Amino acid sequence: MQDFTTNPLPLYKKVAGSGVSRLEALRAKYSTNNIAQQQASYQKLLVGFPEHNRNQYLLTHIHCALNLNQNYDTIKADLLKLPQINRPSDPITEAEIDRAIERTKESREKNFPLHQIQLSTQTITTGTHVPAVKPETHVPVVMPETNKAVTFETLKARSPYALTGSNKDAEAFLKTLFKEDEYICIGGVKNNHPCQVRSYLNRLDSLGEYITINPFTPDTTRSDKNVAFYRHMLVEFDVEDKEKALADPVFLRQELEKQAGFWMEMLNKGMPIISLTYSGSKSIHALFRVNVPDAMTWEQEIAGKIYPIFCKMGADPANKNPSRLSRMPMALRNGVRQELLYLNQNTAPMTPEELLKLLGGIAPETTAVPAVGNTLFDLVPAVCASKMTEVEKIRTIHAATSAHLKSRGAFLKVERVRDSIELLYLDHTTHIVRSIHNKIFQAQLSKELGLPTNDQKFIRLFSYLENDLLASENIPVVTPRKYWHSTQDAIYISCNDHEMVRITTDRIEIAPNGTDHVIFLPEAVLEDWTYTEENYHFWQNQLWKNATIRTTEEKSITLAWTTLLPFAPENKPILCIVGEPGSGKTKISKGAAWLWGVPAWDIQPLQDENKGLDNFGIGVDKGGIALMDNVDTVYKWLPDTLAKYSTGEVIRKRKLYSDKEQIEFRGEAALVINSVKPYFASDPGCNARLMVVRMNTRETREERDLDSELKKEILIHRNASLSMICRQLQQILADKVRVTENFGLRHNDWGEYAVKLGRVLKEEKFMKSALLKNQENRMDIVLENNALAAAIESYFSNSYRYPQLEGYTDDIRKQLAEFNSDFAYYSNQKFTSLFTRSLVYLQKDYDIKEKVIGGVHRTRYTITLKER
């Protein structure tokens, strides 16, 4: 038998009398002095610059242009003129082109020629395992041993059709694969409009590089759904080290000989191969004649069963669809002829069943995954060492990982906004809940798998896991709570990141995170504390004991607000602390935060409407206690926003840098507003939602006022204080007697809890009195800072005045201008607006009668001083 091991491939065959190889001759072709030919090729190169994948093509374009003896300046100037480069929506900048040129220079200086990566990265080997270079695409395989190299000439000699090396081969190829009235595509990658085969037979000298492997229906585009006959299947292999193959002709020849030897073995086994075509670069394209009636059968049999077997051998998995492009025989590819190596005009089609039976004796058997322990750390190396495809490996590891995680915990879904879902994982061992995107969760999973988080296997595995969980309908949907939560029957107060105190009418117990589907995330739990039977009333601390709160009723309001924080009803009051600078307003809210172990979010700045609203939304959405300090100015957005917050409405706002996407802020936090002059409280809707606490100015500053000392004292008794509060909350929860009195509150749930707290403390009547007194306090803080109220008070304090103030609003303005000169410059409209807004508060001290004059549709007011 003839020995083919020393017979070189025709690509490297020496040209007679020249002493150089064909490859060297092709390279020399670009260094000739044929300027016109070079310019024509260069212009064709510019025309072929693609609309898409421009960055990927850029280096290849520069490299090819340099091969055509173009200098860097010319290349750059011509690129900047291309419309593909200067797309208005996404241009490639001059700096990006400069970087591409620098990379090209560096590559050429190191003798590593650039090339356009378009083909698969699958590898075909003979009898040995190949280490995975790119885990996401590369498949280590074992092919049947050929024991000899086969050249292109060997395959040509085996061809039943006598190949001529001319355009007659292209004509025979087209007539063998298709009928003359069928529609196919021949040309570039973007040639999507099929033409009849007979039209291509009339212009064989100008055919493009690519041809579709199956015919299409008329007047359509190249697409799987438009395939007319499912007649041919494409199988292609590629070399592993592409850069070495292009730089080393000997290595490329050896790799192509391996492929040629493999296809010779396939022909010897009786495979229904109709043609073999050299791609002009690094591979051979094989077309199989199959007998498939429709798309469903193709998907189930060819793509689902037959092609995976070829993929295990190392075939490119991207070629399994029926509208695939193959290489057109005899066309030029970068000056190299795409030769037809084999053509059998009498190849009989095989059904999928026949082909599967034949492949059963050829394809390597898949090695089963070795039996390992229950740890993922042992499983992953075993799977990676098996002979499965890369996709099968990832799916196997994914199934094991999913089962492992579900055996140790539970996955949960959180619907943040509509159609926006986050996945959480509750570990049943630690009872800690984390997002699956949390770095700690991913680090733990990485450790168990033995894969770094930046490894492609880990990235693909995580993507599989997330997609399966998002698509699953068996994952429960939960709402993570922040610091505390309450229902009709129970109160839940977090102790740490894995435990909570569960309070019901009959018991107080320490329960693991996740009990009753109540979830606390690690970033929203109280500072660690321990439930104890010790009693300590937090009001005994120096901070509250020596606070300069004006009245005992207002002290009771502060006590109730601090104690009832875990109830957190949607309709909740706003604690408004009013006092001069240095009165200790901020310490009251900070003291409550130190006691409970929550952060006091500072909502600042407020001046800018957009930033102020954003900061407010973020602050109240975080949970815990939100603090607005020094609110002494009326902000347009504030009254309506406070009304929404205190009634449980969701605050929605357009997301920054987007047109339609919205973000939602929920009023999770308890809100405290500190103010010296609470002008914002003059809004009736806002005023009705305040729990007012007024503070006197401190005359001295003693040592105990230091924050560090006050905080230390609170923390020493924190466990006992919170434990006692838990027992008080339990009694409130057990109290089912309804409160029927009307306290003038816009938050009746909270008012009822406050009265029940008064019952627990044996001070029910006093608590009711404090709630009623709060109505007067709300009016007082408005009147104390209201210029109109001050002017009216001055008016009635003068004995020589009449005992009443009467007239239209303009008449009243003129009479009061004597006591407030600013009113002399007010317009009637501005004064009327101030007057009507203040009426509800003025009625506390004055009788105000209104009479509408029908003829002029104006209101006449009569104001008299109430008897005290």
Side-chain angles (χ1 to χ4, degrees), residues 311-517:
C311 290
K312 291 175 184 177
M313 301 179 188
D316 185 352
N319 291 327
K320 63 183 179 182
N321 58 310
S323 64
R324 201 66 187 174
L325 291 172
S326 181
R327 290 287 170 176
M328 178 62 203
M330 309 316 295
L332 288 176
R333 179 186 183 184
N334 296 331
V336 179
R337 186 74 64 184
Q338 298 176 165
E339 294 183 87
L340 186 61
L341 306 178
Y342 176 89
L343 182 64
N344 187 356
Q345 297 169 313
N346 299 315
T347 300
M350 278 192 179
T351 63
E353 293 78 9
E354 294 171 334
L355 193 52
L356 280 171
K357 184 177 180 180
L358 187 57
L359 283 171
I362 298 174
E365 295 181 2
T366 302
T367 302
V369 179
V372 294
N374 293 328
T375 62
L376 295 175
F377 192 86
D378 295 331
L379 175 68
V380 173
V383 173
C384 291
S386 67
K387 297 176 183 178
M388 294 185 290
T389 65
E390 196 65 25
V391 173
E392 289 172 337
K393 290 179 181 179
I394 294 296
R395 287 177 176 170
T396 302
I397 299 174
H398 160 251
T401 303
S402 180
H404 172 73
L405 291 173
K406 289 177 180 178
S407 67
R408 290 182 46 186
F411 287 102
L412 309 167
K413 286 181 181 179
V414 178
E415 191 171 1
R416 296 294 185 188
V417 292
R418 188 176 296 276
D419 261 1
S420 175
I421 296 177
E422 183 180 354
L423 290 166
L424 305 178
Y425 181 70
L426 170 60
D427 192 316
H428 288 162
T429 304
T430 63
H431 301 291
I432 297 177
V433 182
R434 289 192 175 96
S435 166
I436 66 170
H437 289 282
N438 183 280
K439 288 187 176 181
I440 297 177
F441 173 84
Q442 294 195 2
Q444 291 172 345
L445 182 59
S446 170
K447 183 179 179 180
E448 293 186 4
L449 289 169
L451 295 172
T453 54
N454 61 351
D455 188 283
Q456 287 297 320
K457 281 189 176 66
F458 183 88
I459 294 172
R460 295 186 67 191
L461 171 65
F462 187 81
S463 179
Y464 268 104
L465 180 66
E466 183 176 24
N467 290 340
D468 280 359
L469 293 172
L470 288 173
S472 174
E473 296 181 357
N474 298 323
I475 307 297
V477 179
V478 299
T479 301
R481 306 302 174 179
K482 297 173 182 177
Y483 306 106
W484 42 61
H485 176 59
S486 67
T487 64
Q488 281 189 331
D489 303 318
I491 301 173
Y492 307 86
I493 303 175
S494 60
C495 294
N496 43 57
D497 58 5
H498 60 279
E499 288 179 326
M500 68 177 86
V501 171
R502 181 175 180 268
I503 305 172
T504 59
T505 56
D506 57 346
R507 69 171 61 185
I508 299 176
E509 59 182 345
I510 306 298
N513 193 14
T515 301
D516 299 339
H517 302 290

Side-chain angles (χ1 to χ4, degrees), residues 749-784:
D749 287 347
W750 187 89
E752 185 157 328
Y753 294 141
V755 172
K756 290 181 178 180
L757 175 63
R759 292 175 185 169
V760 172
L761 299 175
K762 311 301 182 184
E763 297 287 350
E764 179 180 358
K765 290 184 178 180
F766 190 79
M767 186 64 72
K768 291 179 179 179
S769 172
L771 294 176
L772 290 171
K773 185 68 175 177
N774 183 67
Q775 298 184 60
E776 297 182 15
N777 294 341
R778 295 200 309 263
M779 292 187 178
D780 286 343
I781 62 171
V782 175
L783 295 175
E784 288 171 3

Side-chain angles (χ1 to χ4, degrees), residues 688-755:
R689 291 170 171 85
L690 300 179
M691 299 302 298
V692 176
V693 175
R694 296 169 297 175
M695 303 189 70
N696 297 321
T697 304
R698 289 180 181 269
E699 296 181 358
T700 61
R701 184 179 182 86
E702 301 180 11
E703 187 68 26
R704 63 173 176 269
D705 293 331
L706 294 175
D707 285 357
S708 58
E709 294 297 324
L710 295 173
K711 184 176 183 180
K712 182 179 179 180
E713 185 183 5
I714 291 173
L715 295 182
I716 288 174
H717 303 287
R718 180 166 174 258
N719 288 341
S721 297
L722 293 181
S723 299
M724 185 174 180
I725 289 175
C726 288
R727 289 188 282 275
Q728 292 173 349
L729 297 178
Q730 183 186 31
Q731 295 179 62
I732 295 172
L733 199 63
D735 188 349
K736 302 301 182 183
V737 179
R738 295 298 305 273
V739 177
T740 57
E741 291 91 342
N742 180 15
F743 301 108
L745 299 176
R746 296 292 293 272
H747 24 261
N748 294 323
D749 287 347
W750 187 89
E752 185 157 328
Y753 294 141
V755 172

Side-chain angles (χ1 to χ4, degrees), residues 117 121 131-139 390 456-457 460:
I117 301 176
T121 58
V133 178
K134 292 186 176 182
E136 69 276 16
T137 55
H138 177 76
V139 180
E390 196 65 25
Q456 287 297 320
K457 281 189 176 66
R460 295 186 67 191

